Amino acid sequence: METLQLKPLIARYMTASFNVNRIMSARLGKLMPENLTADQHQTLCYIHERGMCTSSELADTFFVGKSSITAIVKRLVEKDLIERIPDERDRRVTYLALTPSGKQLMLDVQLKIEQLLARYIGHFQETEILAFIETFEKLARLLISEEEEVTENS
């Protein structure tokens, strides 16, 4: 595509992305328990999806320093939402996993998120939903692939 054709499309994307992220972040924030920040929720989601991970993996995934992750992990441990599990073969490695209360919280929050999103997705035809999701997944794959290349070349 020519640059001139891309400019209005990029502007439309930027506007839509800004508005969707701004409004959905606020609405999702209202679904969270009062004592859970957005960063803590994202951390719980990642651990829930992976089963277990390390603090270093979290720092790399979220592009933040290890000290930021340490603070988040400390608070989640204090809230009994995650636990530290030492590696049996390497004492230097500690894994993070959800506690039973962390798993229950994730199930509860996930249900609320599904109910919220269903209100909006219900306004689209199935073909529109599938086309949007497939396109969004393609964008995610491109970004991930590019990020992996940058990491390998660093």
Side-chain angles (χ1 to χ4, degrees):
M1 254 189 202
E2 292 180 32
T3 305
L4 290 177
Q5 292 174 330
L6 277 178
K7 263 190 137 168
L9 295 175
I10 290 170
R12 286 174 61 192
Y13 168 82
M14 294 296 292
T15 299
S17 177
F18 173 77
N19 286 317
V20 168
N21 287 327
R22 177 179 58 86
I23 294 167
M24 288 306 290
S25 291
R27 292 189 181 166
L28 290 172
K30 290 178 183 175
L31 298 178
M32 297 300 134
E34 287 182 27
N35 64 344
L36 193 67
T37 67
D39 289 341
Q40 291 169 354
H41 175 252
Q42 287 298 318
T43 302
L44 290 172
C45 285
Y46 185 84
I47 296 170
H48 181 69
E49 186 178 301
R50 298 290 187 283
M52 285 195 323
C53 69
T54 63
S55 291
S56 295
E57 183 180 339
L58 288 172
D60 292 343
T61 298
F62 292 110
F63 307 108
V64 297
K66 291 182 183 174
S67 61
S68 297
I69 292 299
T70 299
I72 292 169
V73 166
K74 180 183 176 200
R75 288 184 189 97
L76 291 172
V77 168
E78 289 169 355
K79 294 175 184 181
D80 190 39
L81 298 174
I82 64 172
E83 62 184 330
R84 293 181 177 103
I85 302 170
D87 187 304
E88 294 175 3
R89 291 166 284 177
D90 188 345
R91 290 184 178 181
R92 297 170 295 176
V93 177
T94 301
Y95 294 102
L96 305 169
L98 296 182
T99 62
S101 12
K103 290 176 185 175
Q104 187 59 53
L105 176 79
M106 290 308 301
L107 292 174
D108 296 344
V109 169
Q110 185 64 31
L111 180 61
K112 290 177 183 178
I113 291 171
E114 288 171 6
Q115 291 169 343
L116 173 68
L117 293 177
R119 290 186 359 217
Y120 303 105
I121 291 174
H123 291 274
F124 299 91
Q125 295 176 3
E126 185 176 347
T127 55
E128 291 175 307
I129 296 166
L130 292 173
F132 171 76
I133 291 171
E134 289 167 2
T135 302
F136 205 63
E137 288 171 340
K138 183 176 181 179
L139 176 58
R141 285 191 302 273
L142 288 169
L143 292 169
I144 291 167
S145 175
E146 186 177 88
E147 188 56 38
E148 287 171 350
E149 288 176 19
V150 168
T151 303
E152 288 173 6
N153 295 329
S154 296

